[in-house]
Amino acid sequence: MAKRSSLSIRIVEGKNLPAKDITGSSDPYCIVKVDNEPIIRTATVWKTLCPFWGEEYQVHLPPTFHAVAFYIMDEDALSRDDVIGKVCLTRDTLTSHPKGFSGWAHLTEVDPDEEVQGEIHLQLEVVPGPRARRLRCSVLEARDLAPKDRNGASDPFVRVRYNGRTQETSIVKKSCYPRWNETFEFELEERATEALCVEAWDWDLVSRNDFLGKVVVNVQGLRVAQQEEGWFRLQPDQSKSRRDKGNLGSLQLEVRLRDEMVLPSGCYQPLVQLLCHEVKLGAQGPGQLIPFIEETTSTECRQDVATNLLKLFLGQGLAKDFLDLLFQLELRRTSEANTLFRSNSLASKSMESFLKVAGMRYLHSIVGPIIDKVFEEKKYVELDPSKVEVKDVGCSGLHRPQTEAEVLEQSAQTLRAHLGALLSALSRSVRACPAVVRATFRQLFRRVRERFPGAQHENVPFIAVTSFLCLRFFSPAIMSPKLFHLRERHADARTSRTLLLLAKAVQNVGNMDTPASRAKEAWMEPLQPTVRQGVAQLKDFITKLVDIEEREELDLQRTLSLQAPPVKEGPLFIHRTKGKGPLTSSSFKKLHFSLTTEALSFAKTPSSKKSAFIRLVNIRAAEKVEEKSFGSSHVMQVIYTDDVGRPQTAYLQCKCMNELNQWLSALRKVSINNSGLLGSYHPGIFRGDKWSCCHQRDRTDRGCDKTRSRVTLQEWNDPLDHDLEAQLIYRHLLGVEPALREKLREPSRDTEAGAEPTGPDQAPEDPLAQLLQVLQDLREAHSCSSSPTSPPPSEPTRLLELQT
């Protein structure tokens, strides 16, 4: 049993941001931090005060997190990026919105005294004295303090104040993980109500000291406890009145916190078996459970339910059968062929999720090269005469205005070339398409042909396939390549227009060039020859795609399962520490890395022979390296044991924050069940004769910071978590339990389901009655597992009293 927390984050847009550039505009992007740890960076939207991002993320994190903050930044090429403002949502705020926080939030200024992070280790006790009792405060160490100096570190010291007296620790130079081990004593006033204040500061020789955070301890509570020791979270100084910095603009967000108590696998087996049994009988009819789930699922949660069901059945090897059952339900209530799969039904949403989970790598291989070429060329493309911009062309001194006809013709040529290349690549990709995707499309093609026979519906089975493949998969990826991980940045205005026109052309091909699609935008006529040729190519492709038999499907799946597909791959810069010599950035070497479910390997190029580097079972931690170690904030360390059990560390440098967090997430997820995972680590490096982070001289000394193995980003190729998906489905069914009971009370069900069992040990034969019994059993299992537990000793929050 484990409690799992996740954040669903959608960064929609900003408005009325202040201008930070001399041009009267800004280049905004957003950084998301969880407890001051940067985990997400959106793309930069250039030259705008009202940026639109539309980026979605799913973050898995430990239940003990405190807040998530959104920082809006202005990117500058020649100087440090400017901070525009921030929005901070505490865990309590998110908990008070069970359906998620959604709406506009005003940006507030970023006050250095409020930008604190880290924890301090204190030992507090009341001891006898010669005249009266004394208050003893031992300042042991701190971790993850905010770096305030340009060298990426701080020079921290601690100031302890009580009852008018102030004492200070020594200064630890260039460290965010200092160790003091100093003790202070104060006369304990029996009737005094003053709190003990412990403040951390960064010492500066020239300018004023920087505030690093504080802890305020209720001494009255300590009198009762007599002794307390643990890690205390540093708090900001909120005693100052906030200065009015004017309107900093607003940010539209959708953030939802989900806490789930996941039970052992055996508890979910009755629910999983009940759902799987109905799907396996799908050839005999849709059954009762899936239709009930579909009719009781609201529009706002349909995508989540579809994804959870799809992943559950995918893990059971029944994704194709589940989707086939949904196809039958959709076809039964559809009377007009031109409305088939056009709504956001459970079938449509499930198929979208299926293609993203099972077909994303296939999408990248087909669409990726075309997208890259569009971004590299950056040509001006426009087919709509009302939007054509006539510009000068020619060499220096011989400029002449380009006519509208020339712009339209060149644009048509460019789009025809891109569309032709895309269709050619698609036509050659039948064998590259995953077997389970081909088999699912085969079922869809057959079901639609059976429902709409006849010559007048000849194209309907093809359009059913393209409605998912082209309209809901390829076209959205072409229009928004960053959201499908095809590019790291959003396209500029010119490239976006090219991608939009190309996506429209793909949609016309997917619609089989119907008169309705042609009449909608007549200015797309120059592409019609290529579109008509593409329709023939696409029909031939679909005919071959769905021509897959059961035996061939099994052979293809068996072949793919033996290949151990990479979880993540790409270029990284590697440095492995050897000896005591100085480590410099020139020591890093660029190699192509590949992470599978077996090992992390590397090669000189993507096509070169790979050498096994680290076996996954040997990984003990994957964590960030502090910036001052290598002069870069994008370095991670993989701590592992070699073949003889000796601890080793590999340092890998990424090119940006997002790539760093993606690699860390992938490494953490594939090694999460390893034995011997570390609870602490050194975020610095062992340079010379000491650790650069905490200055300890013992190389084997325990780590000075806690590991973050539970902080991961959800990706389309994540390993399936069967227990979590079953828990999420149970949570949804629990919400529709009243509708389930009402369904069971319908008089018409008496003749359908037969008599109810009379004995207490008899199981009901009606699937809906069985489902109700399963929900009751799971509710009881959750009740037994939710017995109160004492708070962990690492967070003695009962003594904290924030000063206001």
Side-chain angles (χ1 to χ4, degrees):
M1 181 184 67
K3 186 176 182 180
R4 306 187 192 182
S5 297
S6 63
L7 278 176
S8 298
I9 298 173
R10 185 166 188 257
I11 305 168
V12 187
E13 59 182 323
K15 68 178 180 181
N16 302 329
L17 302 183
K20 290 292 185 177
D21 301 335
I22 58 174
T23 59
S25 186
S26 293
D27 304 314
Y29 64 92
C30 180
I31 287 181
V32 183
K33 296 183 179 181
V34 175
D35 290 343
N36 296 101
E37 181 78 12
I39 56 172
I40 295 169
R41 184 200 192 277
T42 69
T44 301
V45 184
W46 305 100
K47 299 178 181 178
T48 181
L49 301 180
C50 297
F52 178 82
W53 291 287
E55 300 188 16
E56 299 181 13
Y57 302 91
Q58 186 92 2
V59 185
H60 301 286
L61 58 161
T64 54
F65 88 98
H66 297 89
V68 54
F70 302 83
Y71 291 78
I72 304 300
M73 311 289 292
D74 169 57
E75 183 168 339
D76 290 320
L78 302 178
S79 61
R80 296 186 66 176
D81 294 350
D82 300 314
V83 182
I84 296 177
K86 75 170 185 177
V87 172
C88 185
L89 299 175
T90 64
R91 181 184 176 88
D92 292 339
T93 301
L94 295 172
T95 304
S96 64
H97 293 78
K99 294 185 178 181
F101 173 87
S102 179
W104 290 92
H106 293 290
L107 294 173
T108 60
E109 68 162 316
V110 176
D111 186 344
D113 286 345
E114 293 186 9
E115 298 302 301
V116 303
Q117 66 185 64
E119 299 170 310
I120 188 168
H121 189 186
L122 302 176
Q123 186 180 45
L124 307 167
E125 55 185 331
V126 177
V127 297
R131 291 182 301 175
R133 291 192 299 174
R134 301 179 65 82
L135 173 61
R136 178 179 295 168
C137 175
S138 298
V139 182
L140 305 179
E141 57 187 323
R143 62 189 179 195
D144 196 27
L145 298 180
K148 294 291 185 178
D149 300 335
R150 290 190 174 184
N151 59 12
S154 290
D155 304 318
F157 69 95
V158 172
R159 183 177 294 158
V160 185
R161 293 190 287 109
Y162 176 68
N163 201 22
R165 288 188 58 201
T166 301
Q167 300 186 59
E168 295 181 354
T169 67
S170 58
I171 300 170
V172 179
K173 295 291 188 70
K174 299 179 181 180
S175 176
C176 292
Y177 301 85
R179 292 183 180 179
W180 293 284
N181 292 319
E182 299 183 28
T183 301
F184 308 99
E185 290 191 2
F186 301 89
E187 290 283 348
L188 185 60
E189 298 289 339
E190 294 297 333
R191 297 183 180 180
T193 58
E194 184 178 350
L196 174 72
C197 184
V198 181
E199 298 176 342
W201 292 85
D202 167 51
W203 177 83
D204 285 321
L205 179 63
V206 179
S207 60
R208 72 179 183 89
N209 297 336
D210 298 310
F211 181 71
L212 294 176
K214 69 178 181 180
V215 173
V216 180
V217 180
N218 182 356
V219 178
Q220 297 298 327
L222 187 59
R223 292 176 191 271
V224 178
Q226 292 294 306
Q227 183 175 353
E228 196 69 47
E229 179 183 354
W231 286 94
F232 294 78
R233 183 166 175 259
L234 292 170
Q235 303 289 341
D237 184 5
Q238 298 175 332
S239 59
K240 299 187 304 180
S241 60
R242 181 177 295 277
R243 294 167 294 176
D244 185 11
K245 301 291 283 188
N247 183 20
L248 299 177
S250 303
L251 180 64
Q252 187 182 6
L253 297 168
E254 295 175 10
V255 185
R256 182 182 181 187
L257 171 64
R258 175 174 280 164
D259 289 321
E260 294 293 344
M261 185 65 72
V262 181
L263 301 172
S265 300
C267 298
Y268 299 107
Q269 282 305 305
L271 176 62
V272 174
Q273 290 172 2
L274 188 62
L275 294 172
C276 290
H277 179 70
E278 173 150 319
V279 168
K280 291 176 181 177
L281 298 177
Q284 303 174 14
Q288 300 180 45
L289 299 182
I290 301 301
F292 169 76
I293 293 175
E294 182 178 40
E295 69 183 39
T296 56
T297 301
S298 62
T299 304
E300 60 182 8
C301 67
R302 189 169 292 145
Q303 183 65 73
D304 291 338
V305 173
T307 302
N308 296 333
L309 286 169
L310 186 279
K311 288 186 176 181
L312 177 74
F313 290 118
L314 197 63
Q316 301 293 324
L318 295 172
K320 178 188 67 176
D321 306 89
F322 166 63
L323 291 168
D324 182 41
L325 193 151
L326 293 179
F327 296 155
Q328 296 179 56
L329 289 173
E330 183 92 0
L331 287 165
R332 284 189 176 189
R333 60 172 176 262
T334 303
S335 56
E336 296 292 334
N338 58 357
T339 64
L340 186 60
F341 299 117
R342 298 294 175 169
S343 64
N344 290 322
S345 62
L346 188 64
S348 298
K349 292 297 185 182
S350 298
M351 194 64 179
E352 284 181 21
S353 299
F354 171 68
L355 289 175
K356 289 180 181 179
V357 173
M360 190 67 82
R361 186 170 282 111
Y362 173 66
L363 170 79
H364 280 224
S365 66
I366 303 300
V367 180
I370 311 299
I371 298 295
D372 292 340
K373 189 172 182 180
V374 172
F375 272 79
E376 292 165 3
E377 290 181 347
K378 294 185 178 180
K379 290 183 179 180
Y380 175 68
V381 175
E382 184 55 72
L383 291 181
D384 188 350
S386 65
K387 296 182 179 180
V388 170
E389 297 178 7
V390 178
K391 297 187 177 182
D392 290 345
V393 295
C395 58
S396 178
L398 298 176
H399 288 279
R400 66 172 180 82
Q402 192 177 28
T403 65
E404 180 181 299
E406 289 176 328
V407 173
L408 294 174
E409 178 56 31
Q410 289 181 6
S411 299
Q413 289 180 1
T414 301
L415 288 172
R416 282 195 291 264
H418 290 322
L419 182 60
L422 177 62
L423 292 170
S424 296
L426 186 63
S427 300
R428 299 190 301 267
S429 68
V430 173
R431 298 288 297 178
C433 185
V436 66
V437 175
R438 292 184 62 186
T440 303
F441 278 133
R442 176 195 64 202
Q443 291 297 104
L444 173 62
F445 192 88
R446 289 178 178 176
R447 295 293 184 188
V448 175
R449 189 168 55 186
E450 292 170 359
R451 175 65 179 83
F452 295 100
Q456 72 274 24
H457 298 306
E458 179 186 359
N459 285 337
V460 175
F462 294 97
I463 294 177
V465 174
T466 59
S467 66
F468 292 116
L469 189 64
C470 296
L471 277 61
R472 292 178 181 265
F473 197 39
F474 283 178
S475 289
I478 293 171
M479 286 191 291
S480 304
K482 185 180 187 301
L483 303 186
F484 285 76
H485 306 288
L486 288 161
R487 300 290 297 186
E488 293 180 3
R489 292 178 174 267
H490 288 302
D492 55 26
R494 174 177 290 190
T495 306
S496 292
R497 183 61 180 171
T498 304
L499 295 174
L500 177 61
L501 293 173
L502 179 58
K504 286 179 177 290
V506 172
Q507 289 175 354
N508 286 346
V509 175
N511 287 324
M512 297 294 155
D513 191 28
T514 57
S517 62
R518 288 199 304 270
K520 198 178 299 182
E521 291 160 334
W523 41 264
M524 295 283 289
E525 183 64 30
L527 300 183
Q528 283 309 114
T530 309
V531 170
R532 283 193 290 270
Q533 182 182 355
V535 170
Q537 287 180 278
L538 192 59
K539 291 180 71 173
D540 181 65
F541 164 75
I542 293 174
T543 302
K544 296 176 181 177
L545 186 75
V546 301
D547 185 20
I548 178 173
E549 298 300 328
E550 296 287 346
R551 183 174 179 180
E552 184 182 1
E553 176 189 347
L554 293 174
D555 290 342
L556 287 173
Q557 289 180 347
R558 191 178 299 111
T559 302
L560 292 174
S561 64
L562 295 175
Q563 293 176 354
V567 175
K568 186 168 182 59
E569 57 184 344
L572 294 173
F573 293 85
I574 180 174
H575 183 285
R576 278 184 285 182
T577 56
K578 292 183 179 180
K580 298 184 179 181
L583 302 176
T584 60
S585 58
S586 60
S587 303
F588 286 89
K589 180 180 180 181
K590 185 177 182 180
L591 294 171
H592 185 86
F593 280 81
S594 178
L595 175 66
T596 67
T597 54
E598 298 175 356
L600 176 66
S601 57
F602 67 88
K604 289 185 177 180
T605 63
S607 57
S608 303
K609 183 179 179 181
K610 293 180 175 60
S611 301
F613 177 33
I614 302 173
R615 294 175 60 221
L616 288 193
V617 294
N618 293 340
I619 292 179
R620 298 294 173 258
E623 300 293 334
K624 294 180 181 179
V625 177
E626 60 178 349
E627 181 177 357
K628 71 173 186 177
S629 299
F630 296 106
S632 170
S633 58
H634 305 143
V635 180
M636 63 178 173
Q637 56 179 309
V638 182
I639 306 171
Y640 65 101
T641 55
D642 58 19
D643 293 337
V644 295
R646 293 173 301 189
Q648 303 288 345
T649 304
Y651 297 99
L652 305 173
Q653 182 173 349
C654 306
K655 60 184 177 183
C656 63
M657 178 197 302
N658 283 351
E659 185 180 68
L660 171 66
N661 287 312
Q662 288 165 7
W663 272 102
L664 284 172
S665 294
L667 286 163
R668 289 167 179 172
K669 281 180 282 196
V670 297
S671 60
I672 192 64
N673 294 320
N674 283 4
S675 60
L677 289 177
L678 299 179
S680 62
Y681 78 109
H682 287 284
I685 56 175
F686 197 82
R687 176 182 284 133
D689 60 349
K690 63 182 179 181
W691 287 101
S692 64
C693 44
C694 58
H695 301 171
Q696 299 304 303
R697 297 186 180 278
D698 184 359
R699 187 161 191 163
T700 61
D701 183 64
R702 65 179 177 86
C704 55
D705 197 8
K706 56 186 177 182
T707 55
R708 296 166 176 82
S709 59
R710 293 289 177 180
V711 180
T712 59
L713 294 172
Q714 182 168 306
E715 299 287 346
W716 55 268
N717 58 347
D718 278 353
L720 296 174
D721 190 336
H722 309 105
D723 296 340
L724 179 59
E725 303 304 334
Q727 167 63 24
L728 294 175
I729 294 170
Y730 158 72
R731 182 68 61 191
H732 169 73
L733 292 172
L734 206 60
V736 298
E737 185 180 357
L740 176 60
R741 293 184 180 275
E742 186 66 29
K743 189 84 171 176
L744 285 169
R745 282 195 291 265
E746 292 179 0
S748 59
R749 296 190 54 80
D750 294 339
T751 56
E752 295 176 8
E756 289 294 320
T758 57
D761 298 330
Q762 288 181 270
E765 297 180 0
D766 184 356
L768 293 180
Q770 289 180 328
L771 178 60
L772 182 61
Q773 182 62 52
V774 168
L775 295 182
Q776 293 173 351
D777 293 341
L778 280 171
R779 185 192 291 110
E780 184 178 345
H782 273 282
S783 299
C784 295
S785 66
S786 60
S787 56
T789 56
S790 57
S794 60
E795 293 194 9
T797 55
R798 62 179 180 274
L799 293 184
L800 297 185
E801 183 179 313
L802 298 188
Q803 183 178 357
T804 60

